[in-house]
Amino acid sequence: MPAWKGTAPLIERARKRLAMPEQDGAESRIEPLAMLYARPGFKLRRAHQVALSVFSEECRAFDVTTTQYGILVALREQPGLDQIGLAQALGLDRSTTGMVAGNLETRGLLRRQRHEVDRRRHVLTLTAAGEELLQQIGPATERAWRRLLAPLSGAEAAALAALLDRLLSYHDALIRVPLKRSQDS
């Protein structure tokens, strides 16, 4: 069965949940919206908004975005990455990576240095302040993760992670900014 056929019950449930009593063509106006709400891309975007909001609430005291946090973690795990390697490790475009790295450098959380051989490249390393921030923010990021997955059982959270991994790995090679994991090298 094609994958899209499995979404028919979801679409029907969305139609029923959002349907209003038929008056003055209200049903026909709601149906396209119900179809939108049933789309996987819509749900993934909303889930991303929720994840960002939860992270922001839990990590507010540290004044760090999810992208900044990701960059700091990547540099802790792979010190000495250049900006292109960092962008690939996180699936970010190079201009965003450069801008966020610049902000983190201004805050004293990372250091950008010219590569010894290729002067066009910038090698990035965490500063002591960046390391310290990662230590301090750790419990808040764990709380954010637990809060985000709170409505799910452990098995459901694992299934969600596995399904997202499968979806992302299937499409990763097709997008403009694929994720290049360190084990892919």
PDB file of all heavy atoms in Angstrom, residues 70-88:
ATOM      1  N   GLY A  70      23.158  23.871  19.650  1.00  0.00           N
ATOM      2  CA  GLY A  70      23.643  22.825  18.751  1.00  0.00           C
ATOM      3  C   GLY A  70      25.078  23.072  18.316  1.00  0.00           C
ATOM      4  O   GLY A  70      25.900  22.145  18.274  1.00  0.00           O
ATOM      5  N   ILE A  71      25.407  24.307  18.004  1.00  0.00           N
ATOM      6  CA  ILE A  71      26.772  24.645  17.590  1.00  0.00           C
ATOM      7  C   ILE A  71      27.751  24.399  18.734  1.00  0.00           C
ATOM      8  O   ILE A  71      28.824  23.813  18.540  1.00  0.00           O
ATOM      9  CB  ILE A  71      26.845  26.095  17.068  1.00  0.00           C
ATOM     10  CG1 ILE A  71      26.220  26.146  15.666  1.00  0.00           C
ATOM     11  CG2 ILE A  71      28.271  26.629  17.061  1.00  0.00           C
ATOM     12  CD1 ILE A  71      26.128  27.530  15.061  1.00  0.00           C
ATOM     13  N   LEU A  72      27.382  24.809  19.933  1.00  0.00           N
ATOM     14  CA  LEU A  72      28.272  24.603  21.085  1.00  0.00           C
ATOM     15  C   LEU A  72      28.494  23.116  21.352  1.00  0.00           C
ATOM     16  O   LEU A  72      29.627  22.685  21.594  1.00  0.00           O
ATOM     17  CB  LEU A  72      27.710  25.312  22.323  1.00  0.00           C
ATOM     18  CG  LEU A  72      27.659  26.842  22.241  1.00  0.00           C
ATOM     19  CD1 LEU A  72      26.887  27.413  23.429  1.00  0.00           C
ATOM     20  CD2 LEU A  72      29.064  27.437  22.159  1.00  0.00           C
ATOM     21  N   VAL A  73      27.432  22.330  21.290  1.00  0.00           N
ATOM     22  CA  VAL A  73      27.560  20.887  21.513  1.00  0.00           C
ATOM     23  C   VAL A  73      28.430  20.257  20.423  1.00  0.00           C
ATOM     24  O   VAL A  73      29.323  19.448  20.708  1.00  0.00           O
ATOM     25  CB  VAL A  73      26.184  20.202  21.580  1.00  0.00           C
ATOM     26  CG1 VAL A  73      26.312  18.675  21.548  1.00  0.00           C
ATOM     27  CG2 VAL A  73      25.436  20.636  22.828  1.00  0.00           C
ATOM     28  N   ALA A  74      28.194  20.624  19.166  1.00  0.00           N
ATOM     29  CA  ALA A  74      28.982  20.062  18.067  1.00  0.00           C
ATOM     30  C   ALA A  74      30.462  20.385  18.232  1.00  0.00           C
ATOM     31  O   ALA A  74      31.325  19.529  17.995  1.00  0.00           O
ATOM     32  CB  ALA A  74      28.460  20.582  16.729  1.00  0.00           C
ATOM     33  N   LEU A  75      30.767  21.606  18.660  1.00  0.00           N
ATOM     34  CA  LEU A  75      32.175  21.978  18.839  1.00  0.00           C
ATOM     35  C   LEU A  75      32.800  21.300  20.054  1.00  0.00           C
ATOM     36  O   LEU A  75      33.998  21.023  20.059  1.00  0.00           O
ATOM     37  CB  LEU A  75      32.320  23.495  18.935  1.00  0.00           C
ATOM     38  CG  LEU A  75      32.047  24.245  17.638  1.00  0.00           C
ATOM     39  CD1 LEU A  75      32.135  25.742  17.861  1.00  0.00           C
ATOM     40  CD2 LEU A  75      33.007  23.791  16.546  1.00  0.00           C
ATOM     41  N   ARG A  76      31.998  21.022  21.065  1.00  0.00           N
ATOM     42  CA  ARG A  76      32.526  20.272  22.203  1.00  0.00           C
ATOM     43  C   ARG A  76      32.875  18.850  21.766  1.00  0.00           C
ATOM     44  O   ARG A  76      33.905  18.313  22.136  1.00  0.00           O
ATOM     45  CB  ARG A  76      31.516  20.222  23.341  1.00  0.00           C
ATOM     46  CG  ARG A  76      32.043  19.428  24.551  1.00  0.00           C
ATOM     47  CD  ARG A  76      31.041  19.289  25.651  1.00  0.00           C
ATOM     48  NE  ARG A  76      29.870  18.575  25.166  1.00  0.00           N
ATOM     49  CZ  ARG A  76      28.693  18.617  25.746  1.00  0.00           C
ATOM     50  NH1 ARG A  76      28.499  19.343  26.840  1.00  0.00           N
ATOM     51  NH2 ARG A  76      27.677  17.939  25.257  1.00  0.00           N
ATOM     52  N   GLU A  77      32.026  18.263  20.933  1.00  0.00           N
ATOM     53  CA  GLU A  77      32.229  16.883  20.503  1.00  0.00           C
ATOM     54  C   GLU A  77      33.244  16.752  19.371  1.00  0.00           C
ATOM     55  O   GLU A  77      33.883  15.713  19.250  1.00  0.00           O
ATOM     56  CB  GLU A  77      30.886  16.269  20.077  1.00  0.00           C
ATOM     57  CG  GLU A  77      29.868  16.215  21.198  1.00  0.00           C
ATOM     58  CD  GLU A  77      30.381  15.501  22.435  1.00  0.00           C
ATOM     59  OE1 GLU A  77      30.909  14.379  22.307  1.00  0.00           O
ATOM     60  OE2 GLU A  77      30.263  16.078  23.542  1.00  0.00           O
ATOM     61  N   GLN A  78      33.369  17.790  18.562  1.00  0.00           N
ATOM     62  CA  GLN A  78      34.303  17.761  17.423  1.00  0.00           C
ATOM     63  C   GLN A  78      35.086  19.063  17.379  1.00  0.00           C
ATOM     64  O   GLN A  78      34.898  19.894  16.493  1.00  0.00           O
ATOM     65  CB  GLN A  78      33.540  17.548  16.118  1.00  0.00           C
ATOM     66  CG  GLN A  78      32.813  16.232  16.043  1.00  0.00           C
ATOM     67  CD  GLN A  78      32.050  16.092  14.741  1.00  0.00           C
ATOM     68  OE1 GLN A  78      32.352  16.721  13.728  1.00  0.00           O
ATOM     69  NE2 GLN A  78      31.041  15.246  14.744  1.00  0.00           N
ATOM     70  N   PRO A  79      35.997  19.265  18.343  1.00  0.00           N
ATOM     71  CA  PRO A  79      36.743  20.529  18.374  1.00  0.00           C
ATOM     72  C   PRO A  79      37.568  20.723  17.102  1.00  0.00           C
ATOM     73  O   PRO A  79      38.043  19.759  16.513  1.00  0.00           O
ATOM     74  CB  PRO A  79      37.647  20.387  19.599  1.00  0.00           C
ATOM     75  CG  PRO A  79      37.564  18.973  20.039  1.00  0.00           C
ATOM     76  CD  PRO A  79      36.402  18.328  19.365  1.00  0.00           C
ATOM     77  N   GLY A  80      37.671  21.976  16.691  1.00  0.00           N
ATOM     78  CA  GLY A  80      38.488  22.294  15.531  1.00  0.00           C
ATOM     79  C   GLY A  80      37.772  22.170  14.203  1.00  0.00           C
ATOM     80  O   GLY A  80      38.420  22.237  13.151  1.00  0.00           O
ATOM     81  N   LEU A  81      36.478  22.002  14.216  1.00  0.00           N
ATOM     82  CA  LEU A  81      35.733  21.997  12.950  1.00  0.00           C
ATOM     83  C   LEU A  81      35.856  23.363  12.292  1.00  0.00           C
ATOM     84  O   LEU A  81      35.938  24.378  12.973  1.00  0.00           O
ATOM     85  CB  LEU A  81      34.245  21.742  13.193  1.00  0.00           C
ATOM     86  CG  LEU A  81      33.770  20.322  13.424  1.00  0.00           C
ATOM     87  CD1 LEU A  81      32.277  20.332  13.776  1.00  0.00           C
ATOM     88  CD2 LEU A  81      34.008  19.461  12.206  1.00  0.00           C
ATOM     89  N   ASP A  82      35.851  23.374  10.969  1.00  0.00           N
ATOM     90  CA  ASP A  82      35.741  24.664  10.305  1.00  0.00           C
ATOM     91  C   ASP A  82      34.254  24.972  10.126  1.00  0.00           C
ATOM     92  O   ASP A  82      33.401  24.136  10.426  1.00  0.00           O
ATOM     93  CB  ASP A  82      36.510  24.690   8.978  1.00  0.00           C
ATOM     94  CG  ASP A  82      35.947  23.748   7.927  1.00  0.00           C
ATOM     95  OD1 ASP A  82      34.839  23.205   8.101  1.00  0.00           O
ATOM     96  OD2 ASP A  82      36.621  23.559   6.901  1.00  0.00           O
ATOM     97  N   GLN A  83      33.939  26.170   9.670  1.00  0.00           N
ATOM     98  CA  GLN A  83      32.539  26.577   9.572  1.00  0.00           C
ATOM     99  C   GLN A  83      31.749  25.691   8.611  1.00  0.00           C
ATOM    100  O   GLN A  83      30.584  25.387   8.866  1.00  0.00           O
ATOM    101  CB  GLN A  83      32.426  28.053   9.165  1.00  0.00           C
ATOM    102  CG  GLN A  83      32.757  28.970  10.295  1.00  0.00           C
ATOM    103  CD  GLN A  83      32.596  30.446   9.975  1.00  0.00           C
ATOM    104  OE1 GLN A  83      33.029  31.250  10.736  1.00  0.00           O
ATOM    105  NE2 GLN A  83      31.976  30.811   8.869  1.00  0.00           N
ATOM    106  N   ILE A  84      32.376  25.251   7.532  1.00  0.00           N
ATOM    107  CA  ILE A  84      31.685  24.388   6.573  1.00  0.00           C
ATOM    108  C   ILE A  84      31.399  23.031   7.210  1.00  0.00           C
ATOM    109  O   ILE A  84      30.289  22.503   7.121  1.00  0.00           O
ATOM    110  CB  ILE A  84      32.496  24.237   5.269  1.00  0.00           C
ATOM    111  CG1 ILE A  84      32.563  25.582   4.539  1.00  0.00           C
ATOM    112  CG2 ILE A  84      31.892  23.159   4.367  1.00  0.00           C
ATOM    113  CD1 ILE A  84      33.504  25.618   3.362  1.00  0.00           C
ATOM    114  N   GLY A  85      32.382  22.456   7.893  1.00  0.00           N
ATOM    115  CA  GLY A  85      32.184  21.177   8.574  1.00  0.00           C
ATOM    116  C   GLY A  85      31.129  21.264   9.660  1.00  0.00           C
ATOM    117  O   GLY A  85      30.334  20.344   9.847  1.00  0.00           O
ATOM    118  N   LEU A  86      31.121  22.388  10.377  1.00  0.00           N
ATOM    119  CA  LEU A  86      30.116  22.605  11.412  1.00  0.00           C
ATOM    120  C   LEU A  86      28.723  22.685  10.788  1.00  0.00           C
ATOM    121  O   LEU A  86      27.775  22.067  11.279  1.00  0.00           O
ATOM    122  CB  LEU A  86      30.425  23.883  12.188  1.00  0.00           C
ATOM    123  CG  LEU A  86      29.444  24.274  13.284  1.00  0.00           C
ATOM    124  CD1 LEU A  86      29.351  23.199  14.359  1.00  0.00           C
ATOM    125  CD2 LEU A  86      29.855  25.605  13.898  1.00  0.00           C
ATOM    126  N   ALA A  87      28.601  23.431   9.703  1.00  0.00           N
ATOM    127  CA  ALA A  87      27.310  23.546   9.012  1.00  0.00           C
ATOM    128  C   ALA A  87      26.826  22.165   8.569  1.00  0.00           C
ATOM    129  O   ALA A  87      25.649  21.815   8.754  1.00  0.00           O
ATOM    130  CB  ALA A  87      27.435  24.482   7.813  1.00  0.00           C
ATOM    131  N   GLN A  88      27.721  21.361   8.024  1.00  0.00           N
ATOM    132  CA  GLN A  88      27.350  20.024   7.570  1.00  0.00           C
ATOM    133  C   GLN A  88      26.966  19.122   8.742  1.00  0.00           C
ATOM    134  O   GLN A  88      26.035  18.330   8.639  1.00  0.00           O
ATOM    135  CB  GLN A  88      28.495  19.395   6.783  1.00  0.00           C
ATOM    136  CG  GLN A  88      28.739  20.072   5.456  1.00  0.00           C
ATOM    137  CD  GLN A  88      30.008  19.573   4.767  1.00  0.00           C
ATOM    138  OE1 GLN A  88      30.927  19.082   5.413  1.00  0.00           O
ATOM    139  NE2 GLN A  88      30.044  19.714   3.454  1.00  0.00           N
TER     140      GLN A  88
END
